[in-house]
Amino acid sequence: MENTAKDPGLLPGWGIDADPKNDPTYPMRHRMNVGQDPDSKHRPTLQLVDEEVLKSIERQNVSAVFGTPLPPHGLSGAIRRWAFKYSESVYPHWLPLLLADRVDMVEGVLADLVHGHVPNIFAERGAKMDWKYNRSGFIAKLATVSLLTAGAIVLLSSKDEKKPSKKHRRCQA
Amino acid sequence: MLAMDYRGPRRVRAAQKPMPEIKHPQDAIVRVTRACICGSDLHLYNGNVPDTRVGTTFGHEFTGIVEEVGPEVTKVKVGDHVLVPFNVACGECHFCKQGMFGNCHESNTQASAVGGIFGYSHTAGGYNGGQAEYARVPYANVGPTVIPAGMDPDDAVLLTDVVPTGYQAAEMAGIQPGDTVVVFGAGPIGIMAARCAWLFGAGRVIVIDQVDYRLEFARNYAKCEAYNFNEMADPVVFIKKTTDFMGADVCIDAVGAEASGNAMQTITGRKLLLQAGSATAIHWAVNSVKKGGVVSIVGVYGPTDNLVPIGNVLNKGLTIRANQTSVKRLLPRLIEHVQNGIINPKALITHRIPLEEVADGYRIFSDKLDSCIKTVLISPSAKI
Ligand SMILES: [Zn+2]
Ligand SMILES: [Zn+2]
């Protein structure tokens, strides 16, 4: 289909929400400062804090509701607790959290194995879909991986073979 | 119950998990009928959002039937079929009172910069999402909205994020009748932003992306112009040329952190994670818009820093507006638009995938396989 100029007026709903006063618009339009809010300290009913919730140090309190799943655990949990000593404004908060996510992934595989479940990473990655809808890409990726693996094997094994020959040369010299 | 289960970057599966429970008197439990995979789920899927804990269930776009309510819930009742806005919002805090339901102060303990979002990591509150048979929905008096009689659940589920986010992108841009609007990104949000730009009276709407089938979809669906940036030497110069070298009146970033198109941004933002995602779309938006113009950002970025040409924002006198969408604020108007046939959300859905095959759904959506635009997951208990 070509790019052609349209008469916008013919499109359904054209201009239906046009508003000359739409500038400044949301979120500026109905702003209210804290002093104008008679009840700015009001809080909803509080959820019972019955498990560990990590709190941003930029907040005064635990929010009135919070998500419950997956309290911090293990090494990843220790890293997360450490990260929450820092504000959202600095890298020592965010980078350890990313690191903790990777540690958590390893802990997740270990937990799977402990429960007698070997994760099917091929299925978890949806790789079958790559095979189905992107076969040339899939084959290219597979070929690259095989080539790299084969290359690495050749490199490693040839190093082993070279060692004595080097020695031999050195002896000759 | 069966639920999507995140195991690490690009590894997800469907697994048995405990049923969600009422944890707060304003909670509801819903039996999920539709749950979408969203472009912003890909930031989680790729492992780029800090504090995405293994075992999390994603999914911030869902509809469901209310199965159980806490003692303070008065606005919905057991048996109601509701659409659930992606924001977790209390409706009572200083920000909710200003209609900023995407910035609620009482729904996220882990971060002060972002309100609670279903299934969007502990950085967004640690809520499990709707890619499951059942979900806990806090503040059930505020977010969940009964689906009007006769509305298709496929339309309803897109009112939880895609339609309002596309609409708010156009709204925040302050579009005036006759304006030239450039939308970066031809994903579901970009396509919807282009469609909604006309509602505000745009005179010309241009979408820029690199995926041809999506550009074609955008042309058909949003009746806009759509161009592939790989076919132009420089998209900024292309936009300048096509606007008599003035620049677009407004530019919308509907891409976010996974942007392609600039090698340096891709390497530092997506591969090395030295920035909070690749900021290519913001960069192009700032440089393509006219002096004094507006850049509206709805693409999602991480919480740290991005390389953005802020000097040009100053030199050109730009206004940048950006926010998580305030879904509840927009719902009454958007429900009207859907009921009047002005917006047809469900036309974006190209794939319906059983929850059991969630890993395949993510792969198809993430790698844009099989001409995918929008994927909806159907749980075995959906029964609708
Ligand atoms: Zn979404
Ligand atoms: Zn609130």
Side-chain angles (χ1 to χ4, degrees), chain B residues 68-189:
Chain B
E68 191 186 347
V69 291
E72 288 182 20
V73 176
T74 54
K75 300 279 170 65
V76 293
K77 57 184 191 306
V78 171
D80 282 347
H81 193 188
V82 294
L83 65 94
V84 182
F86 76 84
N87 331 100
V88 180
C90 75
E92 301 175 46
C93 72
H94 180 67
F95 303 101
C96 284
K97 275 188 279 191
Q98 295 171 69
M100 296 170 72
F101 295 101
N103 310 87
C104 176
H105 206 55
E106 291 289 4
S107 57
N108 186 4
T109 305
Q110 279 90 350
S112 63
V114 61
I117 300 174
F118 288 99
Y120 211 78
S121 84
H122 276 67
T123 296
Y127 299 93
N128 269 334
Q131 291 169 8
E133 284 185 281
Y134 295 86
R136 170 194 172 213
V137 178
Y139 297 132
N141 290 328
V142 181
T145 301
V146 176
I147 299 172
M151 182 179 281
D152 190 319
D154 287 351
D155 282 327
V157 74
L158 293 177
L159 282 167
T160 62
D161 182 358
V162 172
V163 181
T165 299
Y167 186 90
Q168 186 173 300
E171 182 196 31
M172 288 194 299
I175 296 170
Q176 297 297 314
D179 274 359
T180 294
V181 176
V182 173
V183 180
F184 292 97
I189 301 284

Side-chain angles (χ1 to χ4, degrees), chain B residues 43-67:
Chain B
H43 313 317
L44 299 167
Y45 179 66
N46 290 325
N48 293 347
V49 179
D51 214 355
T52 304
R53 300 183 191 170
V54 166
T56 301
T57 294
F58 301 167
H60 57 265
E61 305 180 359
F62 61 100
T63 58
I65 293 170
V66 177
E67 291 276 314

